[in-house]
Structure formats: structure tokens, C-alpha cells
Amino acid sequence: MFTAKQFRAKAAECAELLKRTVVPSEIREFQRSKDSFTTLAQNEDWLANNFDKIIRSQDIHPQDDDAGKAVAGRSVAETEEHILRCLGAAVIMQWNTIPTKLQRELFDTAGSVGDVLKSAALRAQIARFLHRHKDDQESPADCASKPNVAKGTPYVT
């Protein structure tokens, strides 16, 4: 996780690169990056200054869902895991429409999550999974109806 200081350093780096270029596309990219890193630094500062006001998922009791119905025996961790699985499935379903640069960033981020010593194996597993499913054209409803996908095991055709 980056700190506000690290985000500001990256913003300063982009500002320096911005001064050294005359290429319009690079100017736009460096300016966008500088603005993004500056905003991220401001967000980190805000989070640090308002930590006591933030509602954290550990503080939420999973008695009710959005419709007001009781969530049968689901812990907060299970609820969050379900949300992450849904988000992950949504990313995979849209993978072919995601720009290549963002695909690489998502792959790199996913490959670096967890145990550092096992990251190479995880990256290889992710690469094989993406390669196997690169041409899948399923709708979200099809994916949600398959229990093995909901449980986090790859769907093999």
C-alpha cells in the first residue's frame, strides 16, 4: 500500500518528466499521471485524518441485505469474499474489452497479491486461466448459474 508521501513523490516524478517533453501525447499522459497521483495523495491524507469517522466492514453486522432480509449465517468475511468473487467474475467476463495496458496492470496486481514467494506460481496460474478463457463469450447470468464459478474454481469447457 502506498503512502501519501510516496504518491506525492510519484506526482513530482511525473511533473519532472512533464517539463522534459514536447510530445503532446506524453504531455497528456504525464499530466494525467501527475493529477492522479496528487489526488491519491490527497485521498490518503483524508483517510488518515478521518479514520475515526470511516465505517469499516468489520464494524458492520451482516444481519440484513439491501432488501432488508436476513443474511443466513454469513459472516462479514464471507460477504466480502462473495463481493470480491462477483467483481472478479465481472472483470473476467469483460476481459476481452479491457484495454491491453489495463489488462497488464490487473494481471500484475493480481499476481502480486499474497505470499511473495509464491507469486511466480500464482502468476502462471492466472496466465493459464486467462489463456483458457480468452475466447469465452458467456453472459453474467450464465456465469452466475454455474456453481463451480461461484465457488471460485475455474469453469472448464
Side-chain angles (χ1 to χ4, degrees):
M1 191 63 74
F2 280 92
T3 65
K5 184 178 179 179
Q6 291 169 314
F7 282 128
R8 281 196 183 78
K10 292 296 278 180
E13 231 177 84
C14 292
E16 283 301 312
L17 292 170
L18 189 58
K19 291 177 187 176
R20 295 184 198 144
T21 187
V22 292
V23 179
S25 62
E26 288 180 356
I27 291 171
R28 282 191 302 274
E29 183 65 24
F30 291 142
Q31 185 63 48
R32 186 199 60 75
S33 294
K34 178 182 159 244
D35 293 345
S36 179
F37 286 124
T38 301
T39 300
L40 288 167
Q42 291 168 345
N43 288 345
E44 287 297 319
D45 286 338
W46 185 92
L47 286 170
N49 294 333
N50 295 286
F51 186 76
D52 58 326
K53 299 172 191 159
I54 297 172
I55 298 174
R56 294 174 296 283
S57 62
Q58 300 91 304
D59 301 336
I60 298 172
H61 301 289
Q63 285 92 4
D64 299 326
D65 65 5
D66 290 339
K69 299 175 188 167
V71 179
R74 231 187 225 181
S75 71
V76 173
E78 290 170 329
T79 302
E80 288 181 351
E81 183 177 342
H82 175 72
I83 291 167
L84 289 171
R85 287 180 188 278
C86 290
L87 286 169
V91 168
I92 294 302
M93 287 186 278
Q94 298 298 319
W95 190 259
N96 292 335
T97 64
I98 296 173
T100 305
K101 183 177 178 183
L102 182 55
Q103 285 179 348
R104 287 187 190 118
E105 289 176 21
L106 289 168
F107 177 82
D108 289 340
T109 302
S112 65
V113 173
D115 188 349
V116 175
L117 298 176
K118 297 179 183 176
S119 65
L122 176 60
R123 291 171 68 85
Q125 289 173 331
I126 293 169
R128 284 191 298 273
F129 178 87
L130 291 172
H131 183 73
R132 273 196 312 268
H133 298 284
K134 69 180 177 190
D135 297 320
D136 288 357
Q137 296 294 326
E138 292 184 333
S139 72
D142 293 339
C143 185
S145 67
K146 294 184 173 84
N148 55 345
V149 172
K151 294 291 185 188
T153 56
Y155 172 68
V156 179
T157 55

